[in-house]
Amino acid sequence: MAGCIKIEDGQTFSKEMFCIPQHYEDYLESVLIPKGLILNRTERLARDICRDLCHGPLVALCCLKGGYQFFSHLSEFIINYNGTSGHSVPFSIDFIRLKSYENDGSTNDVKIVGGSDLSSIKGKNVLIVEDIIDTGRTMEKMLEVVSQYKPAQVKVVSLLVKRTPLRSSSYRPDYIGFEVPDRFVVGYAIDYNEYFRDLNHICVINKEGIEKYRT
Ligand code: HPA
Ligand code: MG
């Protein structure tokens, strides 16, 4: 089991210490993971992934929409590593979209609502890139869908994994950026009803934010 950075309950930064867009200031409780730390951790994940997985063509599969920032930075680090380590493999990208969330509660209903034809992943090493794993059920469904296209190998990297011992299906991804408290988080492309994607740091939303942007 790969290690990760564990963020303890209550281990947060004051939002006053960071630049927060003014339109979100009143709706956040605290900063959980500053963007700089996300990028530093992502660089190391890219190295670990390349060492394990770059033995043949690699396809990185982005889980939209929340995974797009992480996917973009991780891909950049993988491409840099590939270009400088003396050994390289063809690297390509694709996108998939599964939806399981409305408001701040997880529904059991998980469906594919977008993405491309995945027939190109047949026989290749596939890296699924996800923003956050909560109960693990969305990823179990994703793995079912992806394996139907007969990839050579599938690994999963998630930037965040929530500590949800009571709700969780016990699924753990192959690579994890951070293990985080069971709080509703937003920012770095992770949304609450489509809001907060335009926030650099991963933050904890407050009660006012949950109310303000409820659909
Ligand atoms: N924030 C946004 N989306 C999510 C979360 C979260 O904390 N958990 C599962 N999906
Ligand atoms: Mg997601």
Side-chain angles (χ1 to χ4, degrees):
M1 175 62 61
C4 70
I5 294 178
K6 183 173 179 185
I7 305 207
E8 300 291 346
D9 292 1
Q11 184 189 336
T12 56
F13 299 97
S14 163
K15 61 186 177 181
E16 275 70 42
M17 299 297 115
F18 293 89
C19 293
I20 304 287
Q22 198 244 318
H23 57 284
Y24 289 143
E25 247 167 36
D26 294 341
Y27 303 110
L28 297 171
E29 183 186 294
S30 54
V31 173
L32 190 66
I33 315 175
K35 181 174 174 179
L37 181 56
I38 299 171
L39 293 180
N40 294 142
R41 177 73 186 126
T42 301
E43 181 177 25
R44 176 56 193 255
L45 287 170
R47 193 180 87 179
D48 293 348
I49 288 163
C50 285
R51 287 185 176 172
D52 294 350
L53 213 56
C54 290
H55 303 295
L58 176 63
V59 183
L61 197 53
C62 175
C63 301
L64 293 171
K65 298 178 188 177
Y68 97 87
Q69 283 276 12
F70 177 47
F71 179 81
S72 161
H73 290 128
L74 183 70
S75 299
E76 200 176 320
F77 283 123
I78 290 175
I79 290 165
N80 283 343
Y81 187 88
N82 223 354
T84 56
S85 67
H87 161 82
S88 69
V89 297
F91 175 71
S92 56
I93 59 168
D94 221 323
F95 300 87
I96 191 167
R97 184 152 183 228
L98 282 183
K99 203 156 190 291
S100 68
Y101 246 71
E102 240 157 53
N103 291 317
D104 58 338
S106 196
T107 63
N108 286 329
D109 193 25
V110 178
K111 43 183 184 289
I112 302 181
V113 293
S116 55
D117 171 21
L118 294 179
S119 51
S120 62
I121 69 173
K122 189 172 177 185
K124 295 192 179 143
N125 291 335
V126 173
L127 177 70
I128 299 179
V129 182
E130 177 67 293
D131 53 352
I132 183 164
I133 289 179
D134 187 324
T135 66
R137 275 178 266 279
T138 304
M139 189 48 66
E140 284 172 340
K141 175 76 185 175
M142 179 78 82
L143 284 166
E144 244 178 73
V145 171
V146 168
S147 63
Q148 285 163 11
Y149 293 86
K150 307 261 183 297
Q153 188 182 187
V154 182
K155 298 274 187 196
V156 176
V157 57
S158 185
L159 177 61
L160 308 180
V161 170
K162 266 198 204 180
R163 267 193 303 283
T164 54
L166 299 178
R167 291 203 305 283
S168 159
S169 69
S170 85
Y171 170 78
R172 296 281 282 188
D174 302 286
Y175 307 94
I176 301 171
F178 303 86
E179 183 188 288
V180 296
D182 188 10
R183 305 294 308 276
F184 200 83
V185 298
V186 292
Y188 194 66
I190 299 170
D191 75 312
Y192 171 63
N193 294 332
E194 297 301 325
Y195 290 93
F196 299 99
R197 295 196 199 275
D198 55 332
L199 171 64
N200 278 331
H201 313 295
I202 293 179
C203 297
V204 180
I205 194 171
N206 66 15
K207 284 202 299 289
E208 290 75 17
I210 295 281
E211 266 319 302
K212 166 105 175 151
Y213 296 110
R214 193 181 288 283
T215 50

